[in-house]
Structure formats: C-alpha cells, structure tokens
C-alpha cells in the first residue's frame, strides 16, 4: 500500500490557491490523474465540506482533512498541499468559526478498516511538535513526501 | 453483571475522523480499565443507529442537530489534541451514570 498510497505526484509544496475550493480542485485533480478517484469526487468533497467542515487546529499546525464517501473513490490515497498562502476552512469544532489552513491533506478512503493505522498516524503527526515543524519547513516535495511516508505507516506509534 | 456500555462515534461520512476518534477513545478507556463497545456511523444515520444499538452515548466530530435523548459529546479534541483529557473525563462521567 505504501508505494501507491502516496507518491511524489501527490505532493504539492508551495501550493497557490485563492481559496479552499481552488485548493481542493487542484488536489482532487492530482488524485484523479492517478485514477484514485472518480469525476464525482471533487463535488462530493465540496458538498461534504459545506455540511461537515474539516478545518482543524492543533497546538502546532492548522490543517484540513477534506474527504468524501468511499463510493467516489477507486483506490486509497492522499494528496498533500502545503499552501504558499493559507486559505480559510470552516472549523470542525465550531462551524461558525474559520481556520486559516496551511496544510491540506485530501483523503481518498476506500476501506476504513484497512486505513485505521494511516488515519491514526495522520492525527498523531499533526499533534507532534517536531513533525509539524519539519512539515512546515520542508524545502522540496521530496522532503515533504518522506515525512508522510515515514510516519503514516508506522505500527503502534506511541508518542 | 452490568452489560458493556455502548458508544457511537459519528462523523460526516462515517469513515475518516470517526475512525481516528474511535480508536483513540477505545485505547484511552482500555487504559482506564473500561471495556466498551464502540460503533461508528455517518451523522445522517445516527438516529437509526441509536435505535439499533441502544447506545449510552454519542461522540461526534460534526454538527448533529436534533434531540437524541442521550448525551452527545463533541469529540474534535481527540483530533486536535487540545483538551483531550477533559473530553475523556466527560465521556467517563456519562458512562458511570
């Protein structure tokens, strides 16, 4: 799974977007080019985001986890965008508030039982001071890719 | 003996954030010596899920609306790591009643 789940084509350092819609469109396009999601995925993500926003803020990073129902997904993966300029997402905690998001992790979830570890590790990464510092100071796509590859698939990653 | 307490974790699609929150709650409660049963579902399926499982408590990561006649706890803190302990204590207090 590791090799196909995320690769260099799905990493976007210095992502430039006017707003969350443009950012999600670019990242959805990357997943689509890889055959990971169906054409319906992009609209399904926007629709879900309206009803159930995914902007989150840990102590160390503001990020968003947009996703859609697995019927719009062909195979599991993530597209990662580190934004040049943050974009606003509604907050998951309180949809009346906005979060200025610096990192977008667009999830294509196919089978949740197989992706539990990845989802757990993703949340752990966002709550880890060093990891988030490394993400935010990545110099190129490769560096950013390695951070995700090295952390997402770890088993029993207690911190 | 008292039967196992049941928790439902609900999020918008029932696949991503609820999966992460479910495993966190399960591990935390296990550490505290509490063995619970946790189901997950979409928020849109919450009403029927509550009826089917006779749950004691609902934890959500999104706006649920409506009245469910059982405690509903906001579980976003398990994703942000901020105030996790407080949310956990809230969950435990409901499970003990």
């Amino acid at each position: 799974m590791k090799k196909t789940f995320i690769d260099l084509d799905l990493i976007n350092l210095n992502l430039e977007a006017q707003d969350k819609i443009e950012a999600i469109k670019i990242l959805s396009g990357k997943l689509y080019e890889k055959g990971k999601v169906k054409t319906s995925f992009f609209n399904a993500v926007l629709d879900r985001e309206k009803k159930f926003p995914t902007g989150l803020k840990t102590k160390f990073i503001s990020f968003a986890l947009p996703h859609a129902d697995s019927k719009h997904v062909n195979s599991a993966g993530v597209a990662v965008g580190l934004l040049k300029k943050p974009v606003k997402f509604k907050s998951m905690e309180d949809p009346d508030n906005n979060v200025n998001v610096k990192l977008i992790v667009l999830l294509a979830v196919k089978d949740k039982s197989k992706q539990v570890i990845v989802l757990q590790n993703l949340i752990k990464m966002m709550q880890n001071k060093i990891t988030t510092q490394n993400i935010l100071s990545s110099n190129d796509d490769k560096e950013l890719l390695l951070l995700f590859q090295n952390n997402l698939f770890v088993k029993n990653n207690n911190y | 003996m008292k039967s196992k307490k049941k928790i439902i974790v609900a999020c918008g699609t029932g696949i991503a954030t609820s999966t992460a929150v479910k495993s966190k709650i399960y591990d935390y409660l296990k550490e505290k010596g509490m063995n619970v049963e946790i189901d997950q579902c979409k928020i849109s399926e919450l009403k029927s899920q509550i009826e089917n499982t006779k749950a004691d408590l609902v934890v959500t990561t999104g706006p649920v609306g409506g009245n469910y006649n059982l405690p509903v706890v906001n579980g976003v803190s398990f994703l942000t790591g901020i105030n996790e302990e407080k949310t956990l204590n809230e969950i435990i207090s409901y499970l003990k009643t």
Side-chain angles (χ1 to χ4, degrees), chain A residues 20 45-56 63-67 89-99, chain B residues 12 17 61-63 76 79:
Chain A
K20 68 177 173 209
V45 171
L46 288 189
D47 199 41
R48 189 204 177 274
E49 198 63 41
K50 262 183 219 156
K51 290 181 203 145
F52 304 107
T54 65
L56 286 162
F63 70 108
L65 283 178
H67 55 280
F89 273 73
K90 297 271 180 214
S91 159
M92 190 186 290
E93 193 147 35
D94 177 2
D96 292 332
N97 282 332
N98 286 321
V99 180
Chain B
T17 54
T61 59
V76 177
L79 303 173

Side-chain angles (χ1 to χ4, degrees), chain A residues 3-140:
Chain A
K3 269 184 195 146
T4 56
F5 191 80
I6 185 168
D7 66 22
L8 214 49
D9 297 334
L10 296 168
I11 296 282
N12 300 267
L13 190 77
N14 289 325
L15 180 64
E16 285 186 66
Q18 289 296 318
D19 54 24
K20 68 177 173 209
I21 297 175
E22 194 184 352
I24 292 172
K25 190 169 191 173
I26 295 168
L27 295 174
S28 294
K30 304 270 180 184
L31 289 170
Y32 181 73
E33 278 167 32
K34 286 265 165 192
K36 289 189 169 299
V37 300
K38 298 175 181 158
T39 42
S40 57
F41 182 78
F42 170 60
N43 279 321
V45 171
L46 288 189
D47 199 41
R48 189 204 177 274
E49 198 63 41
K50 262 183 219 156
K51 290 181 203 145
F52 304 107
T54 65
L56 286 162
K57 199 173 174 190
T58 69
K59 277 181 196 150
F60 311 112
I61 196 167
S62 295
F63 70 108
L65 283 178
H67 55 280
D69 195 280
S70 44
K71 69 180 176 206
H72 306 286
V73 175
N74 295 323
S75 65
V78 287
V80 174
L82 192 61
L83 289 142
K84 204 163 187 176
K85 244 176 53 197
V87 296
K88 283 193 176 74
F89 273 73
K90 297 271 180 214
S91 159
M92 190 186 290
E93 193 147 35
D94 177 2
D96 292 332
N97 282 332
N98 286 321
V99 180
N100 280 319
V101 164
K102 184 77 180 145
L103 176 77
I104 299 175
V105 183
L106 182 64
L107 297 169
V109 180
K110 189 65 192 164
D111 178 351
K112 65 187 172 198
S113 63
K114 286 189 186 144
Q115 278 135 45
V116 177
I117 291 174
V118 171
L119 291 165
Q120 279 176 315
N121 284 334
L122 183 62
I123 299 302
K124 277 176 189 166
M125 285 173 74
M126 299 302 131
Q127 295 178 14
N128 186 293
K129 190 176 178 178
I130 311 284
T131 311
T132 49
Q133 272 172 359
N134 287 338
I135 289 172
L136 294 171
S137 62
S138 300
N139 293 310
D140 56 45

